[in-house]
């Protein structure tokens, strides 16, 4: 989990290098140059930009939904899967959809606790 968190942080920093950031007073901001580009945010509106009030909630929902999704995939692939590949693929796709749908109201539904936490912090 720590390695994934560090990887997500490095990935965030690499993506941030693609923007022209200027210092304006005490705040660094991306200047409006007339181009329509935005930084993607996995969190819903006002979901993660609350100064850390939902940090524990983001961690818990991401942890539970990731656990459920990975468990479901392992059960389908290793234990009780159908002999038909399209049925297995449909079941796994539905499980992913449901996990993302449940987590999207809190963390944006990235189904990875490390990415969810780094996104919330940054």
């Amino acid at each position: 989990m720590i390695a994934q968190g560090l990887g997500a942080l490095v990935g965030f920093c690499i993506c941030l290098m693609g923007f022209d950031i200027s210092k304006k007073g005490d705040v660094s901001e991306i200047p409006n140059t007339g181009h329509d580009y935005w930084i993607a945010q996995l969190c819903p509106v006002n979901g993660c930009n609350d100064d850390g009030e939902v940090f524990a909630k983001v961690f818990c929902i991401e942890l539970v939904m990731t656990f459920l999704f990975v468990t479901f995939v392992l059960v389908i692939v290793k234990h009780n899967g159908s002999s038909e590949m399209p049925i297995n693929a449909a079941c796994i796709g539905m499980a992913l959809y449901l996990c993302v749908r449940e987590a999207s109201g809190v963390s944006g539904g990235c189904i990875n606790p490390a990415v969810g936490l780094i996104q919330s912090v940054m």
Side-chain angles (χ1 to χ4, degrees):
M1 179 114 174
I2 292 171
Q4 282 194 354
L6 291 174
L9 182 63
V10 169
F12 174 81
C13 293
I14 289 171
C15 290
L16 197 58
M17 288 191 298
F19 294 96
D20 180 27
I21 299 176
S22 64
K23 186 119 175 138
K24 184 177 182 182
D26 291 337
V27 179
S28 294
E29 66 178 27
I30 297 174
N32 184 1
T33 59
H35 301 294
D36 291 330
Y37 60 82
W38 306 94
I39 295 177
Q41 185 173 1
L42 292 173
C43 299
V45 176
N46 298 327
C48 294
N49 294 330
D50 61 352
D51 297 327
E53 290 180 17
V54 296
F55 190 77
K57 192 186 291 187
V58 167
F59 179 76
C60 287
I61 194 76
E62 288 293 327
L63 184 72
V64 169
M65 289 298 119
T66 303
F67 173 77
L68 289 175
F69 177 65
V70 170
T71 301
F72 189 82
V73 169
L74 289 176
V75 166
I76 289 289
V77 171
K78 299 291 183 189
H79 296 290
N80 298 327
S82 172
S83 60
E84 301 292 327
M85 183 54 113
I87 294 173
N88 291 340
C91 291
I92 291 172
M94 182 61 76
L96 178 61
Y97 169 75
L98 292 173
C99 287
V100 169
R101 180 78 175 113
E102 287 299 315
S104 64
V106 176
S107 65
C110 60
I111 309 301
N112 185 334
V115 174
L117 289 176
I118 295 299
Q119 175 67 33
S120 302
V121 170
M122 295 302 172

